[in-house]
Amino acid sequence: MPTIDIEQTRNQARALLDSRIESVTNLVKTRQRITELREQLADAEREDKRAYVRATKDGWSPEELKKLGLESGAAARCRKPATARTSDEGSPSSPDAVTGAD
């Protein structure tokens, strides 16, 4: 049986662990970036709401703003695009029925 070199084995094991540590480090960095971007989005949405309220207080009606393509941010986020309804809507094979979304 050949002699096993402890240092070589340790180095090989360390290289394998380093690779695994690098991948999980990248995952953590990506998750941190997602959290930061979500916080930035929340800040931007709050500022959008304040700006919309300011515009309405300055005399713009919601209808006028909507005609300019500037409807309330909450209304724009909540509205779903119109889709063609099919007769099999709600069947187990439809995505909405499986996820319960709607």
Side-chain angles (χ1 to χ4, degrees):
M1 184 170 170
T3 305
I4 299 175
D5 182 355
I6 292 176
E7 280 306 309
Q8 182 181 4
T9 303
R10 280 184 175 173
N11 290 337
Q12 289 173 337
R14 191 169 286 118
L16 290 172
L17 288 175
D18 286 346
S19 171
R20 294 178 73 197
I21 290 170
E22 184 178 337
S23 67
V24 80
T25 300
N26 288 334
L27 177 59
V28 170
K29 287 179 181 178
T30 302
R31 298 280 171 94
Q32 288 173 332
R33 183 161 188 268
I34 290 170
T35 299
E36 291 168 5
L37 291 172
R38 282 186 176 140
E39 289 169 359
Q40 289 177 13
L41 177 60
D43 291 343
E45 287 176 338
R46 281 190 292 275
E47 182 58 31
D48 176 72
K49 184 176 181 177
R50 286 191 289 269
Y52 185 85
V53 169
R54 275 194 304 269
T56 58
K57 286 183 178 181
D58 284 343
W60 291 96
S61 72
E63 293 78 22
E64 291 171 324
L65 292 170
K66 186 175 181 178
K67 286 179 185 178
L68 294 170
L70 299 169
E71 56 188 311
S72 168
R77 283 189 303 277
C78 292
R79 191 180 65 210
K80 294 181 182 179
T83 57
R85 303 286 182 182
T86 60
S87 61
D88 65 350
E89 181 180 329
S91 70
S93 63
S94 78
D96 289 341
V98 173
T99 61
D102 217 356

